[in-house]
Every structure is written in structure tokens, then in C-alpha cells.
Amino acid sequence: MKLKGPWIALQHRNYRLLWFGNTFSQLGDHMQQVAQNWLVWQITGSVTALGLAAFIGIIPRLAFGFFGGPIVDKYNRRYLLGSTQSAALLFSLGFALTAASGAITFPLALFFIFTLETTQIINQTTRQALLQEIVPRQDIPSAVSLNGTGNNLARIAGPALGGTLIPVTGVEGLMFLNSLTFLGVLMAVWRMRIPARQWGQTQAEEGGFCERLLEGYRYIWKNNRLRMLIYLGMVSAFLIMPIISMLPAYVDNVLKGGPQTFGFLMAAFGIGAVLGAMNGPAVRASIGGVVTLLAAVLQGILFILLGAITIPFLAFGLMFTLGLATITYNNSVVTAMQLSTAPEYLGRVMGIYLMHKAVTAAGAMLLGTVATFAGADRALVISGIFYLGLGAGVQYANRDLQAQALSAAVPGKGKGNG
């Protein structure tokens, strides 16, 4: 199979199997999110309970981000991926059966949410760390972009499909459907053929758990590129990504719209993200690592503009552009991180990076607090101004290090682990 452009990574059989299986599984993940939120609301009728359920889902990300990387770096990643996916299938089935039997309670729902999120974060870290084993270095930018495309397609279709199916299947029926989607990755893992790792026993794999954990942190701390890349990912997660949580209040209080307006804004963001993911490698090849600085400036400006307008039609265009800029930025950072990290450390590095969803939750709490006192429009303006300083400004002030860190994401310019 000969493919070109953003699709080139799909010509590699192992990656092709994983991408299709993972996209199918992610569709189920987003459907599950709709189902479990609706179930918690049915059980409790409490907004506080919804917030607690979201918080419980964050805990595994924080814990595994700090402590789980050595597991991914020590064990066979293909087998680990299959094991966590099998565990997720069992927990998902247990959640669905308990809900269908009428025995579900709020504490039981929290237990299943926690276990599913635990398997999810291990799974995500393993998939990211596996890329270098199934895709040649020169095609990593394409693989990262395709991962973003699949994720955003699932993010668009999953909630819409879940909301449509709940009246037909019920919450428990939607959960059973999600259980079936785990088979996609399991079938992909079963059919993959991956040679044994070539790097052998290194300092990264020797010693006990704590020693390998500390070795991973030392590796990150000594690597200026990685420190910059992790910072760039976290500051975007804290100040930009919380807009998704803010949208209902923004639509209601600023745009004076309803659920349809909210749906259109989410769709506009998702479509922009898909197009940005597909065209990211070509853009980086054309203008280089500076694309991340330009995307950061654009994100900050778009936040300020969103806070300044009250016309839904303009908001659709701004959200589309924000989706495009955000995925371009994030994919550039992830690509550079993949290409700047030695394979034996990838689990620990990506484990830290994938804590960004927990950072986004913290940012959403802060943005919500600001919006409570100042309004959703002013909260977006304030966040945009801070991001121009802490995101774009820090990049510009450290532009030599920023260029070095992000050069790995530009085809033909990566120089190894640095």
C-alpha cells in the first residue's frame, strides 16, 4: 500500500491496524462518557455529583502520569496494550450489567469510572510509546496527525451518536455498545507483528521500580528540549483547552443561544481540528517549527475575540479556526516529543505529558471561577491575554530553545534525542 501526504503512516500494516481499531474504540469512549454522565445524573440529580464523578476520573491520570511510566517502558507494549484493553472490556461490561440489573448506586458508578479511567490512561500511554516501534521515524509526524484526526472524528461523532441512541437503547444499552468497541483494539493487537525491542537492557530498564522512575525524571530534567515541550503542552492544556467546559455558559450568557448553538460550536471546533490534523505535517514542512509560535499567538487572539463578540455566526468561524490552531499546536508538540525521546524512556515521558487532561480540569475550575465573578466573556479575554504571555511570550523569549525543541517535528530537521 503506497500512500502520500498526511496518510503515509497508514501504509505500515501495524500502525494501520492500530489506528482503525483505536478510532473505533475512541468512538465508544465518547459514547460511554455521555452514558455515564447521564447515569450519574439519573441516580443523584446533583450537579455536585457530576463534578465528583469528573474528579474521580482525573485521579488515575495524575497517579499514572507520575508513577506509571516505568511499567510501559519495562514490559512488552503490545501485550500491555492487549491486557489493559481486555481489562477495560471487562469493567465496561460490569458497568453495563450492573446498570441493566438496577443494582447500580452512585459509589458503584464512581468505582467503575475510576477503573475505566485507570485502564484508559495506561492504554493511551502505551499507544503513544508504541509508535516508534511500528512507524519509521520519518513517518512519525503523519502518525501523530492521524491520531489527532481519529480522536477528533470520534469526539465529534461519539457524543452526537450517544445522545441520539440513549432514547432508543437506554443508558445501559449504550454501555453495552461501548463494550463492543474495545474489540477493535484487541483484534488489532492480536494481528500485529512487532519485532522484539532492539535497545536491550539499558539504564532505563535496570534496577527497581523507584530507581527507574527517578531515572526517567532525571532524563527529562537534563533534556532541555523535553522540558520546553512539556511546558508548552501543559500551558495550552491549562489556559486553552478549558474552553470546552466553558462553552455552555458562553452560549447561554454571551451568545444568548441554546443547545443547537452549542452543538454547532462544538462541531465547528471539531471540524477545524480534523482539518488541522490532516494538514499539520505539510504546514510544518513549509514554515518550520515557527508554526507552533504562530498557532499560540492565534489561539490567544481568538480567545480575546470570542470574549468580545456576541454574534453566533462569528463565533462559529472563530471556533473553527481555534480548533485548527489548537490541533496544529498540540500535534507539533507531541511529534517533537516523540522524536526527541529515546525509545526506552517514551513511557515515562508520555505518561507525564498525558497528565494534560488533569491540568485541563484544573484550568476549567479556574476559568469557571473567573467566569462566576467576571462573566464568561471576560474570562475568555483574561485567559487569552495570559496565554499570549505564558504561551506565545515564553516561546518567543526562549525562541532558540523553542526552535531546537520543535525542529524535530519538521520533516528532515530532527537530529535525534538531543
Side-chain angles (χ1 to χ4, degrees), residues 2 70 86 128 131 189 224 232 275 299 341 344 350-351 362 365 375 416:
K2 290 292 184 182
S86 298
Q128 290 284 352
L131 276 189
V189 169
N224 292 335
L232 293 180
L275 292 178
Q299 285 173 307
T341 304
E344 60 267 31
M350 297 312 299
M365 291 177 63

Side-chain angles (χ1 to χ4, degrees), residues 312-388:
F313 179 76
L314 293 178
F316 298 148
L318 293 175
M319 285 297 292
F320 170 85
T321 310
L322 182 64
L324 192 150
T326 299
I327 197 68
T328 300
Y329 176 97
N330 290 341
N331 280 359
S332 293
V333 171
V334 174
T335 300
M337 198 174 296
Q338 282 273 353
L339 296 177
S340 298
T341 304
E344 60 267 31
Y345 288 99
L346 262 176
R348 278 158 284 189
V349 172
M350 297 312 299
I352 293 294
Y353 175 76
L354 287 173
M355 290 170 59
H356 69 274
K357 288 192 176 181
V359 173
T360 295
M365 291 177 63
L366 179 61
L367 190 63
T369 302
V370 174
T372 299
F373 293 100
D377 50 352
R378 292 185 181 89
L380 290 177
V381 171
I382 292 169
S383 187
I385 292 171
F386 269 94
Y387 185 70
L388 285 174

Side-chain angles (χ1 to χ4, degrees), residues 14-15 18 77 125-141 143-144 147 194-199 219 226 334-347 349-350 408 416-417:
N14 285 329
Y15 178 76
L18 184 61
R77 290 167 182 164
T125 306
T126 306
R127 287 200 307 264
Q128 290 284 352
L130 191 62
L131 276 189
Q132 287 194 20
E133 296 183 48
I134 61 176
V135 177
R137 181 180 177 84
Q138 68 271 18
D139 293 339
I140 289 287
V144 171
N147 285 350
I194 303 175
R197 295 190 207 178
Q198 299 299 311
W199 61 80
Y219 176 79
L226 287 179
V334 174
T335 300
M337 198 174 296
Q338 282 273 353
L339 296 177
S340 298
T341 304
E344 60 267 31
Y345 288 99
L346 262 176
V349 172
M350 297 312 299
N417 300 328

Side-chain angles (χ1 to χ4, degrees), residues 19 32 53 82 160 181 219 279 327 330:
W19 187 83
Q32 175 74 18
T181 66
Y219 176 79
N279 293 289
I327 197 68
N330 290 341

Side-chain angles (χ1 to χ4, degrees), residues 220-287:
I220 294 171
W221 183 252
K222 292 176 182 178
N223 192 314
N224 292 335
R225 285 188 186 184
L226 287 179
R227 289 208 313 274
M228 171 60 80
L229 292 167
I230 289 172
Y231 172 81
L232 293 180
M234 293 302 179
V235 73
S236 173
F238 188 70
L239 292 172
I240 296 298
M241 293 311 297
I243 192 173
I244 302 301
S245 300
M246 175 63 66
L247 271 187
Y250 175 74
V251 169
D252 188 26
N253 298 331
V254 179
L255 300 183
K256 308 301 180 185
Q260 188 175 32
T261 303
F262 172 74
F264 282 139
L265 285 177
M266 287 294 292
F269 183 89
I271 293 168
V274 169
L275 292 178
M278 292 175 63
N279 293 289
V283 173
R284 288 192 294 273
S286 299
I287 65 176

Side-chain angles (χ1 to χ4, degrees), residues 1 3-12 15-20 22-24 26 127-128 131 135 139-154 273-281 284 327 331 334-335:
M1 177 180 286
L3 296 169
K4 296 182 179 179
W7 310 101
I8 195 168
L10 288 176
Q11 71 183 345
H12 306 291
Y15 178 76
R16 188 166 64 248
L17 287 168
L18 184 61
W19 187 83
F20 282 108
N22 186 51
T23 301
F24 184 54
Q26 284 182 320
R127 287 200 307 264
Q128 290 284 352
L131 276 189
V135 177
D139 293 339
I140 289 287
S142 168
V144 171
S145 294
L146 283 166
N147 285 350
T149 300
N151 181 46
N152 281 286
L153 286 173
V274 169
L275 292 178
M278 292 175 63
N279 293 289
R284 288 192 294 273
I327 197 68
N331 280 359
V334 174
T335 300

